[in-house]
Structure formats: C-alpha cells, structure tokens
Amino acid sequence: MKNVWLRNLVALLAVALFGAVGPQTAAAQAKTIKLGCAISFTGAKSRSGKLYRDAYNMAVKQVNDDGGVKVGGEAYQLKIVYYDDKSNPGESSKLIEKLLAEDKVNFLLGPYSSGITIPDSLVARRYRVPMIEGGGASGKIFSHGNKYVFGTLPPAGQYFKSTLEMTQTLKPAPKTLALLYADDKFDVSVAEGTKKLAAGMGLKIVLFEKYAEHTSDFNSILTKIKAANAEMVLVAGHTEESLNFTQQAKELNVSPKLIGMTVGPSEADFRKSLGADANYIFGVASWSPQMNFPGFLLPDTQEFVKKFKAKFNYDPDYHNASAFANVAVFKDAIERAGSLDAAAVRNAIAKTDLKTIYGRVRFAKNGQMKGASVVLQIQGGEVYQVFPDGVRPPIYPFPAWKSRR
Amino acid sequence: MLLQILVNGLLKGGLYALMAIGMSLIWGVMDIINIAHGSFIMLGAFITYWLFTILGIDPFLSLLFSVTFLFLFGYAVQRYLINYVIRAGAFITLILAFGIEIFINNLALVSWTADVRKVKVSYGAANFAIGDLVTIPTVRLIAFGLVILISLIFFLILNRTNLGRSIRATSQDLDAARLMGVDVAGTYAITFGMGVGAAGAAGTLWSILFPISPMMGGALTLKSFVVVIIGGLGSMLGPILGGLALGIAEAFGSNWFGATYENLIGFTILVLVLIFRPKGILGGTS
C-alpha cells in the first residue's frame, strides 16, 4: 500500500518538475499564437459570418502548413478561438471581453458587419490589443481615434464611387438617381458618401430613401421609384434585401436603366437564388476573383480562387478575400515586430505594406485600408469586373423585364 | 400611383391575413398565443422548397403537402405537448409555445444551415398590367384568393359541421362542453392542427415570393400578432380586416413618411386599436 502511495507521489513530482510526457503534451508545448474571434454562427448575419470563418480557417491552415509564424527564431502555430455572437452587437462585445480576459488570446480577428465591429473594437482598445477586421467599413469604426482597429474594406462612403464614375462613361449617361439604403451604420455611411459624390458629379437625386433593416417588402419603394422615373437605382443593403428588391422589381415591372447594389451581386448565393433574373445587375466589391495580385500566403489571387473553390465548393468573393488578408497581415506584422507584445505588433500593423491576394494592403492613419472598390456586373449568370479595367464592357441600359426571354 | 399604392397595400394585406388567420383561430378558440406560429410558416416554406428543389414539385401543388403535414404536426404538438399544460393558463402555454419556437428554429438551423434560399419558379415574379395604371403581381393575387378560400373553409367548418360546433362549444364554455360529451383534448388538437395547417399554406406562398431561411419566423409571428390584435378575435373576418388595414396603412404610410417607418406605423395602429377598441375592429368596445 505504501509503495503505491510513494510511486504516485514520485510520479506527481516528476510531472510537476518536468512537465507531463506523451503525445498530448507535445502538442500543448508547441508554441501557439491565439487569435480571438467572436462572429455570427447563428442569427441574421450567420451567412456572411461563415464567409469570414471559412477564409480565416483556410488562411490559418496555410500559415501553419507553411511552418507557422516565426518570432525570434521560433515557429508559432496560429489558432483561432471562436465564439458565436448570435449576430448581436451586445453579445459580441461581451465575448470579446471574455476572449481577452479569460482565454487570454494574443490578438483579435474581426466580426462581420459595421454595427458589431464598432462595440468590439472599443473593447479591443480598452485592452490595448490590436484587432484586424475585414467585415466592417463604416467610417464610424475609424473616427473615434481608436488605434487598435485596422480594417481591410475600403471606406463605406466611397463604395459607389467607382459605379458613379462608370456611369460617366456610359452613353447616354444616366442623370437621375434613386438611392435606397438600410438603416444600419454601414449603409447610412454608404448613402451619405454617395449622395455627396453624386452631387459633385451633377447627378440629380430624385429619391433618397431609408428602409428598415430586414425589410422584405419593397413594393411601396418600387412604386415611388417608378413614379420618380429614376434612371439609375443604387441599393445599399444586405443580401436578402437585394434579393427581395430584385424579384419585386420584376413583379412590379420596374426597369430602370441601371440597378447597382452593395451587398449581393458578388455573392454566389445571390446568383443561385435569382437565376437569370440576376443578370445585368451591377455590384461593387473591394476585390473580385478576376483580379490577379501576387500574394503573400499563396502565390497569387488565381491560386487562392482555385484552392478556395476546391475546399469550400463555392466561389470566393471580397468577404473571403478580405478575411484571408487579415490573417496574412497578422503573420507579416507579428514577424516584423519580432515579438508577441500587443503594442509592438500594433505598431507593426500600422506600418504594413503587404502584397496579398486581396491586393496591396496599406493602412491610412485612422486604421482603414487605402483602396477603392471596383464595379462588377452579372452577365450570363457569372460575375465580371466591368470597371475600371473591366474584363468585359458593362451592358447598359438594363434590358426591361418584359423584353427578356 | 395612388391606385398602385392601394393595390400594393391590399395584396400585402392579403398576405398578412393569410399569415394571421391560423394564429387567430388558435388564439380565439383556446386562448393560446402561439409564439411558434412564424416557425410553422417557416416549416411550410421549407417543405415547399425541398419538394421543389429535390422532386421538382410545383409550389402550388406542394400546398397540399405543406398543409397536410403541418396539420398533422400541429395536431401532434397540441395532443402530446400543449394539452398537458392547457389548464394552467395562457402564460404557461405562451412559454411552452416559446420553447417550441426555439426548438423548431434551431433544429432547422442545424439541419439546413442559415443559408438564404429561394424557390426559383419561372412565374415567381409574374405580373399583369391593367392599362398603364397598375401592375399586379400574380402570386400575390393568388395569395389573396387563397386567404379568402381558407377563411371560407374555416367558416364553414366552424358553423356548419359537428366538429365546428364542438370547437365553438369548447371555446365558449369548456366545462359545459365536456359535460355534453365533447372530446375536448381531441377538439383542441384538431383546432391547433387547422391553425398550423393554415400557417403551412402561408409558408408555401411566402416561399414563392420571398427568400427563406430558418430564422425568418420571428418577424412573421410579430406581424401575425399585430394583425390578430387589430382585427379582433372570434371571427374569420377579423384577420382579413386586420391584415388589409395593416397592409394598406403600411403602403400609404411608407409612401408618405418613408419606408423606415413601416413598422412604426403598424405598431402605432396596434396601440390605437388597443386604446380605442381593445377587442379589435370587430370585437366591440367593451
């Protein structure tokens, strides 16, 4: 009896002194950098949340397969700690707090949507831990002087800039504009920015209409558009709203000369859901799969598109690419900082000048990426970049619903 | 344009009425506020979606399946779940319905993911124009016809059949009905089944018009709730009037004040109705 007790004691001491042995502990000993991420697994934003998670996971796997992040001669594996924010900003900021205080994550990856990024980034500032996010573009994220948030989407106010510039090249150029936008922070920023840009280009805004987020019925707005006889309609909303808007435009036979949308056209879901009715609709994106940049984690954009499609069985869009770039920027910045110190890494991120599959990433003083969006159009069920440097010319005007098929 | 707005409002109202009629029946007869109503609509929509996507069954044909399935499902839910607590009062059944809602929604979320899906029928956006004045979306018009048909069926069942007499008897005086030999539990289950079946029909129509996803139910429950309150309980005409009133008010309101105020308009009407006609438009003033 006494022997057993003694043996246990010795074993215990051995564990305490030298650490436990065996395969499990080998993994625990491998150095890891923990990235925390509270993002939507469920709720209204879960679809887009998945786009980010897929790309985060793919990028992290790529980093780890290639030997991890090298800091001071040692290789660290990346690991993401996820929580489900249920598409709720209040929930999300609580989870960020938990990630930082309990899970002791080293750095933060962003959630999806501006509304959720704002409270999350404020928690990051309080803990002085840098967050790189690819899912929030509202100027409000970057206007608080928060030094700990970096975003890889172009400023929301500039989203439609390329679309408006494109219209100046069309013949005859549309002169009247109806602008619809959801009442959330991102879309309000888009609308206000677009309004200013349009006025500067001499376009007449005949309808400037805000609608409640998650609106399913656009009949009254469409009736107004028809009455106002707008030549061009721009919609700043979310995928479901874009879907509803398009189908109901057809239901009510409203055919302006140009329909452009922020979120929707670039996503595979949108085209799958609408089929041929999605044709000729314009979208904007900070990135498109037809671009080709030399990359950081992967050789170039086309390699990313191919690998992504093989892995997840859908076409990547700018959400995916932006998220992929977030991880790339972390690896680059941590290696340049040469330490895991939050302040050092924060400063390294600020000085980023990195060629990624998403394009060249540099941050402005406020933390938002320098860059502009491109115009896409759905033609024959596929998305093409049409401006600037389009792979295909834009089709304009929009063929009236009645004249199709 | 005014005519078009009126038509938009009327057709939207028809859709609201179709959504609300089942909730109204269940509420009126059993005093159960079925919070899970929107989830049942969601199930109807997904049944249509899967039948269409996998088997290529036309959505209007799948109406038969969604209504039948949801009738049976509703029957079972009432018979083997809600009946156990029905005597405990409206609050307990409300909580149970809430639980059922959470269960159904999350089961749907796990099984079908949160993807937004769409029943892609060629006639989804079909329409016809009357002169240059008004464009009428055909599917919405059919939904309008369907709600009148369903309410007529409900009306006939309630007023012309023995089953209807049992339903009304249990609704008016539970104990007396039981003493007269009415199978209360069975009657309740059939009533709940009818209400949920109507939700299935609403779901099918909804899936033709709008994209669907597992979490769509909550907003629909809320709309149905407003419609039922506005219309008043106890008559098949209530949800129709309530739906049309809400649809037209929203259409004109969002035209005059802007689309953001759509929900505000609905709830303002709700509050006004509660103040001035607490039992609904048809329910009298007492």
Side-chain angles (χ1 to χ4, degrees), chain A residues 30-56:
Chain A
K31 304 230 171 193
T32 52
I33 297 172
K34 284 200 274 186
L35 302 173
C37 179
I39 197 163
S40 311
F41 284 68
T42 56
K45 301 198 160 69
S46 53
R47 256 194 74 272
S48 309
K50 182 178 181 302
L51 299 178
Y52 284 87
R53 285 199 313 279
D54 283 350
Y56 286 155

PDB file of all heavy atoms in Angstrom, chain A residues 30-56:
ATOM      1  N   ALA A  30       3.988  22.853 -28.210  1.00  0.00           N
ATOM      2  CA  ALA A  30       4.229  23.596 -29.436  1.00  0.00           C
ATOM      3  C   ALA A  30       3.686  24.997 -29.212  1.00  0.00           C
ATOM      4  O   ALA A  30       2.592  25.184 -28.690  1.00  0.00           O
ATOM      5  CB  ALA A  30       3.522  22.940 -30.611  1.00  0.00           C
ATOM      6  N   LYS A  31       4.450  25.979 -29.598  1.00  0.00           N
ATOM      7  CA  LYS A  31       4.054  27.346 -29.292  1.00  0.00           C
ATOM      8  C   LYS A  31       2.888  27.772 -30.173  1.00  0.00           C
ATOM      9  O   LYS A  31       2.889  27.519 -31.374  1.00  0.00           O
ATOM     10  CB  LYS A  31       5.244  28.265 -29.519  1.00  0.00           C
ATOM     11  CG  LYS A  31       6.443  27.837 -28.699  1.00  0.00           C
ATOM     12  CD  LYS A  31       7.006  29.012 -27.958  1.00  0.00           C
ATOM     13  CE  LYS A  31       8.054  28.561 -26.976  1.00  0.00           C
ATOM     14  NZ  LYS A  31       8.384  29.614 -26.046  1.00  0.00           N
ATOM     15  N   THR A  32       1.920  28.387 -29.569  1.00  0.00           N
ATOM     16  CA  THR A  32       0.781  28.855 -30.360  1.00  0.00           C
ATOM     17  C   THR A  32       0.524  30.338 -30.105  1.00  0.00           C
ATOM     18  O   THR A  32       0.810  30.864 -29.037  1.00  0.00           O
ATOM     19  CB  THR A  32      -0.521  28.104 -30.006  1.00  0.00           C
ATOM     20  OG1 THR A  32      -0.693  28.165 -28.601  1.00  0.00           O
ATOM     21  CG2 THR A  32      -0.503  26.679 -30.458  1.00  0.00           C
ATOM     22  N   ILE A  33       0.015  30.972 -31.143  1.00  0.00           N
ATOM     23  CA  ILE A  33      -0.493  32.329 -31.016  1.00  0.00           C
ATOM     24  C   ILE A  33      -1.996  32.215 -31.146  1.00  0.00           C
ATOM     25  O   ILE A  33      -2.515  31.651 -32.115  1.00  0.00           O
ATOM     26  CB  ILE A  33       0.053  33.232 -32.136  1.00  0.00           C
ATOM     27  CG1 ILE A  33       1.570  33.341 -32.033  1.00  0.00           C
ATOM     28  CG2 ILE A  33      -0.594  34.605 -32.062  1.00  0.00           C
ATOM     29  CD1 ILE A  33       2.208  34.064 -33.215  1.00  0.00           C
ATOM     30  N   LYS A  34      -2.717  32.709 -30.132  1.00  0.00           N
ATOM     31  CA  LYS A  34      -4.170  32.579 -30.171  1.00  0.00           C
ATOM     32  C   LYS A  34      -4.806  33.850 -30.735  1.00  0.00           C
ATOM     33  O   LYS A  34      -4.558  34.953 -30.259  1.00  0.00           O
ATOM     34  CB  LYS A  34      -4.720  32.319 -28.771  1.00  0.00           C
ATOM     35  CG  LYS A  34      -4.485  30.889 -28.303  1.00  0.00           C
ATOM     36  CD  LYS A  34      -5.424  30.502 -27.187  1.00  0.00           C
ATOM     37  CE  LYS A  34      -4.869  30.912 -25.832  1.00  0.00           C
ATOM     38  NZ  LYS A  34      -5.701  30.427 -24.725  1.00  0.00           N
ATOM     39  N   LEU A  35      -5.606  33.660 -31.774  1.00  0.00           N
ATOM     40  CA  LEU A  35      -6.380  34.764 -32.323  1.00  0.00           C
ATOM     41  C   LEU A  35      -7.819  34.604 -31.858  1.00  0.00           C
ATOM     42  O   LEU A  35      -8.398  33.529 -32.006  1.00  0.00           O
ATOM     43  CB  LEU A  35      -6.331  34.746 -33.855  1.00  0.00           C
ATOM     44  CG  LEU A  35      -4.949  34.813 -34.500  1.00  0.00           C
ATOM     45  CD1 LEU A  35      -5.054  34.622 -36.003  1.00  0.00           C
ATOM     46  CD2 LEU A  35      -4.288  36.142 -34.185  1.00  0.00           C
ATOM     47  N   GLY A  36      -8.381  35.636 -31.264  1.00  0.00           N
ATOM     48  CA  GLY A  36      -9.762  35.544 -30.783  1.00  0.00           C
ATOM     49  C   GLY A  36     -10.720  36.113 -31.807  1.00  0.00           C
ATOM     50  O   GLY A  36     -10.417  37.095 -32.471  1.00  0.00           O
ATOM     51  N   CYS A  37     -11.889  35.465 -31.921  1.00  0.00           N
ATOM     52  CA  CYS A  37     -12.856  35.951 -32.892  1.00  0.00           C
ATOM     53  C   CYS A  37     -14.277  35.634 -32.429  1.00  0.00           C
ATOM     54  O   CYS A  37     -14.632  34.479 -32.246  1.00  0.00           O
ATOM     55  CB  CYS A  37     -12.602  35.294 -34.251  1.00  0.00           C
ATOM     56  SG  CYS A  37     -13.748  35.791 -35.521  1.00  0.00           S
ATOM     57  N   ALA A  38     -15.066  36.673 -32.195  1.00  0.00           N
ATOM     58  CA  ALA A  38     -16.496  36.489 -31.897  1.00  0.00           C
ATOM     59  C   ALA A  38     -17.237  36.870 -33.154  1.00  0.00           C
ATOM     60  O   ALA A  38     -17.166  38.006 -33.598  1.00  0.00           O
ATOM     61  CB  ALA A  38     -16.914  37.379 -30.732  1.00  0.00           C
ATOM     62  N   ILE A  39     -17.902  35.913 -33.766  1.00  0.00           N
ATOM     63  CA  ILE A  39     -18.508  36.171 -35.077  1.00  0.00           C
ATOM     64  C   ILE A  39     -19.829  35.428 -35.164  1.00  0.00           C
ATOM     65  O   ILE A  39     -20.103  34.539 -34.361  1.00  0.00           O
ATOM     66  CB  ILE A  39     -17.509  35.758 -36.194  1.00  0.00           C
ATOM     67  CG1 ILE A  39     -17.888  36.355 -37.537  1.00  0.00           C
ATOM     68  CG2 ILE A  39     -17.370  34.248 -36.271  1.00  0.00           C
ATOM     69  CD1 ILE A  39     -16.778  36.339 -38.556  1.00  0.00           C
ATOM     70  N   SER A  40     -20.654  35.773 -36.142  1.00  0.00           N
ATOM     71  CA  SER A  40     -22.009  35.222 -36.202  1.00  0.00           C
ATOM     72  C   SER A  40     -22.030  33.797 -36.772  1.00  0.00           C
ATOM     73  O   SER A  40     -21.783  33.593 -37.949  1.00  0.00           O
ATOM     74  CB  SER A  40     -22.885  36.131 -37.061  1.00  0.00           C
ATOM     75  OG  SER A  40     -22.744  37.471 -36.657  1.00  0.00           O
ATOM     76  N   PHE A  41     -22.323  32.832 -35.896  1.00  0.00           N
ATOM     77  CA  PHE A  41     -22.566  31.452 -36.341  1.00  0.00           C
ATOM     78  C   PHE A  41     -24.068  31.290 -36.575  1.00  0.00           C
ATOM     79  O   PHE A  41     -24.499  30.469 -37.348  1.00  0.00           O
ATOM     80  CB  PHE A  41     -22.141  30.438 -35.281  1.00  0.00           C
ATOM     81  CG  PHE A  41     -20.648  30.230 -35.189  1.00  0.00           C
ATOM     82  CD1 PHE A  41     -19.808  31.241 -34.728  1.00  0.00           C
ATOM     83  CD2 PHE A  41     -20.081  29.012 -35.544  1.00  0.00           C
ATOM     84  CE1 PHE A  41     -18.446  31.034 -34.630  1.00  0.00           C
ATOM     85  CE2 PHE A  41     -18.713  28.804 -35.454  1.00  0.00           C
ATOM     86  CZ  PHE A  41     -17.892  29.818 -34.997  1.00  0.00           C
ATOM     87  N   THR A  42     -24.853  32.026 -35.797  1.00  0.00           N
ATOM     88  CA  THR A  42     -26.309  31.928 -35.904  1.00  0.00           C
ATOM     89  C   THR A  42     -26.875  33.337 -36.040  1.00  0.00           C
ATOM     90  O   THR A  42     -26.171  34.312 -35.821  1.00  0.00           O
ATOM     91  CB  THR A  42     -26.927  31.262 -34.660  1.00  0.00           C
ATOM     92  OG1 THR A  42     -26.521  31.996 -33.512  1.00  0.00           O
ATOM     93  CG2 THR A  42     -26.481  29.825 -34.519  1.00  0.00           C
ATOM     94  N   GLY A  43     -28.143  33.396 -36.379  1.00  0.00           N
ATOM     95  CA  GLY A  43     -28.803  34.686 -36.492  1.00  0.00           C
ATOM     96  C   GLY A  43     -28.690  35.269 -37.886  1.00  0.00           C
ATOM     97  O   GLY A  43     -28.187  34.635 -38.804  1.00  0.00           O
ATOM     98  N   ALA A  44     -29.141  36.522 -37.990  1.00  0.00           N
ATOM     99  CA  ALA A  44     -29.311  37.137 -39.303  1.00  0.00           C
ATOM    100  C   ALA A  44     -28.007  37.249 -40.087  1.00  0.00           C
ATOM    101  O   ALA A  44     -28.013  37.231 -41.308  1.00  0.00           O
ATOM    102  CB  ALA A  44     -29.940  38.511 -39.144  1.00  0.00           C
ATOM    103  N   LYS A  45     -26.882  37.354 -39.385  1.00  0.00           N
ATOM    104  CA  LYS A  45     -25.627  37.579 -40.106  1.00  0.00           C
ATOM    105  C   LYS A  45     -24.790  36.311 -40.239  1.00  0.00           C
ATOM    106  O   LYS A  45     -23.616  36.363 -40.601  1.00  0.00           O
ATOM    107  CB  LYS A  45     -24.818  38.670 -39.403  1.00  0.00           C
ATOM    108  CG  LYS A  45     -25.600  39.973 -39.332  1.00  0.00           C
ATOM    109  CD  LYS A  45     -24.754  41.175 -39.062  1.00  0.00           C
ATOM    110  CE  LYS A  45     -25.469  42.439 -39.483  1.00  0.00           C
ATOM    111  NZ  LYS A  45     -26.633  42.760 -38.631  1.00  0.00           N
ATOM    112  N   SER A  46     -25.402  35.172 -39.951  1.00  0.00           N
ATOM    113  CA  SER A  46     -24.623  33.937 -39.920  1.00  0.00           C
ATOM    114  C   SER A  46     -24.111  33.553 -41.307  1.00  0.00           C
ATOM    115  O   SER A  46     -23.060  32.939 -41.432  1.00  0.00           O
ATOM    116  CB  SER A  46     -25.462  32.798 -39.350  1.00  0.00           C
ATOM    117  OG  SER A  46     -26.667  32.687 -40.043  1.00  0.00           O
ATOM    118  N   ARG A  47     -24.860  33.909 -42.344  1.00  0.00           N
ATOM    119  CA  ARG A  47     -24.403  33.579 -43.691  1.00  0.00           C
ATOM    120  C   ARG A  47     -23.076  34.254 -43.988  1.00  0.00           C
ATOM    121  O   ARG A  47     -22.121  33.629 -44.414  1.00  0.00           O
ATOM    122  CB  ARG A  47     -25.447  34.049 -44.697  1.00  0.00           C
ATOM    123  CG  ARG A  47     -26.282  32.957 -45.278  1.00  0.00           C
ATOM    124  CD  ARG A  47     -27.020  33.468 -46.485  1.00  0.00           C
ATOM    125  NE  ARG A  47     -26.120  33.618 -47.605  1.00  0.00           N
ATOM    126  CZ  ARG A  47     -25.397  34.687 -47.880  1.00  0.00           C
ATOM    127  NH1 ARG A  47     -25.458  35.736 -47.108  1.00  0.00           N
ATOM    128  NH2 ARG A  47     -24.614  34.719 -48.914  1.00  0.00           N
ATOM    129  N   SER A  48     -23.043  35.573 -43.754  1.00  0.00           N
ATOM    130  CA  SER A  48     -21.814  36.296 -44.020  1.00  0.00           C
ATOM    131  C   SER A  48     -20.729  35.896 -43.030  1.00  0.00           C
ATOM    132  O   SER A  48     -19.554  35.845 -43.379  1.00  0.00           O
ATOM    133  CB  SER A  48     -22.074  37.795 -43.933  1.00  0.00           C
ATOM    134  OG  SER A  48     -23.185  38.136 -44.723  1.00  0.00           O
ATOM    135  N   GLY A  49     -21.131  35.607 -41.800  1.00  0.00           N
ATOM    136  CA  GLY A  49     -20.163  35.174 -40.798  1.00  0.00           C
ATOM    137  C   GLY A  49     -19.389  33.964 -41.280  1.00  0.00           C
ATOM    138  O   GLY A  49     -18.175  33.855 -41.092  1.00  0.00           O
ATOM    139  N   LYS A  50     -20.105  33.061 -41.933  1.00  0.00           N
ATOM    140  CA  LYS A  50     -19.458  31.847 -42.438  1.00  0.00           C
ATOM    141  C   LYS A  50     -18.401  32.192 -43.493  1.00  0.00           C
ATOM    142  O   LYS A  50     -17.337  31.568 -43.539  1.00  0.00           O
ATOM    143  CB  LYS A  50     -20.513  30.918 -43.029  1.00  0.00           C
ATOM    144  CG  LYS A  50     -19.947  29.599 -43.542  1.00  0.00           C
ATOM    145  CD  LYS A  50     -21.053  28.704 -44.065  1.00  0.00           C
ATOM    146  CE  LYS A  50     -20.530  27.365 -44.560  1.00  0.00           C
ATOM    147  NZ  LYS A  50     -19.531  27.455 -45.615  1.00  0.00           N
ATOM    148  N   LEU A  51     -18.685  33.192 -44.326  1.00  0.00           N
ATOM    149  CA  LEU A  51     -17.715  33.585 -45.350  1.00  0.00           C
ATOM    150  C   LEU A  51     -16.387  33.943 -44.699  1.00  0.00           C
ATOM    151  O   LEU A  51     -15.310  33.593 -45.176  1.00  0.00           O
ATOM    152  CB  LEU A  51     -18.226  34.781 -46.158  1.00  0.00           C
ATOM    153  CG  LEU A  51     -19.529  34.595 -46.935  1.00  0.00           C
ATOM    154  CD1 LEU A  51     -19.913  35.884 -47.649  1.00  0.00           C
ATOM    155  CD2 LEU A  51     -19.401  33.472 -47.941  1.00  0.00           C
ATOM    156  N   TYR A  52     -16.483  34.660 -43.567  1.00  0.00           N
ATOM    157  CA  TYR A  52     -15.257  35.072 -42.876  1.00  0.00           C
ATOM    158  C   TYR A  52     -14.569  33.884 -42.218  1.00  0.00           C
ATOM    159  O   TYR A  52     -13.357  33.732 -42.304  1.00  0.00           O
ATOM    160  CB  TYR A  52     -15.580  36.179 -41.855  1.00  0.00           C
ATOM    161  CG  TYR A  52     -15.784  37.487 -42.573  1.00  0.00           C
ATOM    162  CD1 TYR A  52     -17.018  37.832 -43.074  1.00  0.00           C
ATOM    163  CD2 TYR A  52     -14.715  38.335 -42.816  1.00  0.00           C
ATOM    164  CE1 TYR A  52     -17.201  38.995 -43.799  1.00  0.00           C
ATOM    165  CE2 TYR A  52     -14.874  39.502 -43.535  1.00  0.00           C
ATOM    166  CZ  TYR A  52     -16.117  39.837 -44.020  1.00  0.00           C
ATOM    167  OH  TYR A  52     -16.275  40.971 -44.750  1.00  0.00           O
ATOM    168  N   ARG A  53     -15.358  33.051 -41.556  1.00  0.00           N
ATOM    169  CA  ARG A  53     -14.750  31.906 -40.863  1.00  0.00           C
ATOM    170  C   ARG A  53     -14.037  30.978 -41.830  1.00  0.00           C
ATOM    171  O   ARG A  53     -12.922  30.529 -41.572  1.00  0.00           O
ATOM    172  CB  ARG A  53     -15.818  31.123 -40.090  1.00  0.00           C
ATOM    173  CG  ARG A  53     -16.267  31.795 -38.826  1.00  0.00           C
ATOM    174  CD  ARG A  53     -16.951  30.812 -37.891  1.00  0.00           C
ATOM    175  NE  ARG A  53     -17.942  29.966 -38.555  1.00  0.00           N
ATOM    176  CZ  ARG A  53     -19.177  30.355 -38.826  1.00  0.00           C
ATOM    177  NH1 ARG A  53     -19.581  31.573 -38.533  1.00  0.00           N
ATOM    178  NH2 ARG A  53     -20.026  29.528 -39.400  1.00  0.00           N
ATOM    179  N   ASP A  54     -14.688  30.698 -42.976  1.00  0.00           N
ATOM    180  CA  ASP A  54     -14.066  29.811 -43.957  1.00  0.00           C
ATOM    181  C   ASP A  54     -12.694  30.347 -44.351  1.00  0.00           C
ATOM    182  O   ASP A  54     -11.709  29.612 -44.383  1.00  0.00           O
ATOM    183  CB  ASP A  54     -14.954  29.697 -45.204  1.00  0.00           C
ATOM    184  CG  ASP A  54     -16.147  28.775 -44.977  1.00  0.00           C
ATOM    185  OD1 ASP A  54     -16.150  28.100 -43.930  1.00  0.00           O
ATOM    186  OD2 ASP A  54     -17.060  28.747 -45.822  1.00  0.00           O
ATOM    187  N   ALA A  55     -12.652  31.646 -44.651  1.00  0.00           N
ATOM    188  CA  ALA A  55     -11.392  32.224 -45.115  1.00  0.00           C
ATOM    189  C   ALA A  55     -10.362  32.310 -43.989  1.00  0.00           C
ATOM    190  O   ALA A  55      -9.173  32.033 -44.199  1.00  0.00           O
ATOM    191  CB  ALA A  55     -11.644  33.600 -45.723  1.00  0.00           C
ATOM    192  N   TYR A  56     -10.792  32.672 -42.789  1.00  0.00           N
ATOM    193  CA  TYR A  56      -9.877  32.688 -41.639  1.00  0.00           C
ATOM    194  C   TYR A  56      -9.244  31.313 -41.462  1.00  0.00           C
ATOM    195  O   TYR A  56      -8.031  31.178 -41.309  1.00  0.00           O
ATOM    196  CB  TYR A  56     -10.618  33.035 -40.341  1.00  0.00           C
ATOM    197  CG  TYR A  56     -11.045  34.482 -40.149  1.00  0.00           C
ATOM    198  CD1 TYR A  56     -12.122  34.795 -39.308  1.00  0.00           C
ATOM    199  CD2 TYR A  56     -10.367  35.529 -40.761  1.00  0.00           C
ATOM    200  CE1 TYR A  56     -12.516  36.109 -39.107  1.00  0.00           C
ATOM    201  CE2 TYR A  56     -10.759  36.843 -40.564  1.00  0.00           C
ATOM    202  CZ  TYR A  56     -11.843  37.139 -39.730  1.00  0.00           C
ATOM    203  OH  TYR A  56     -12.237  38.418 -39.521  1.00  0.00           O
TER     204      TYR A  56
END
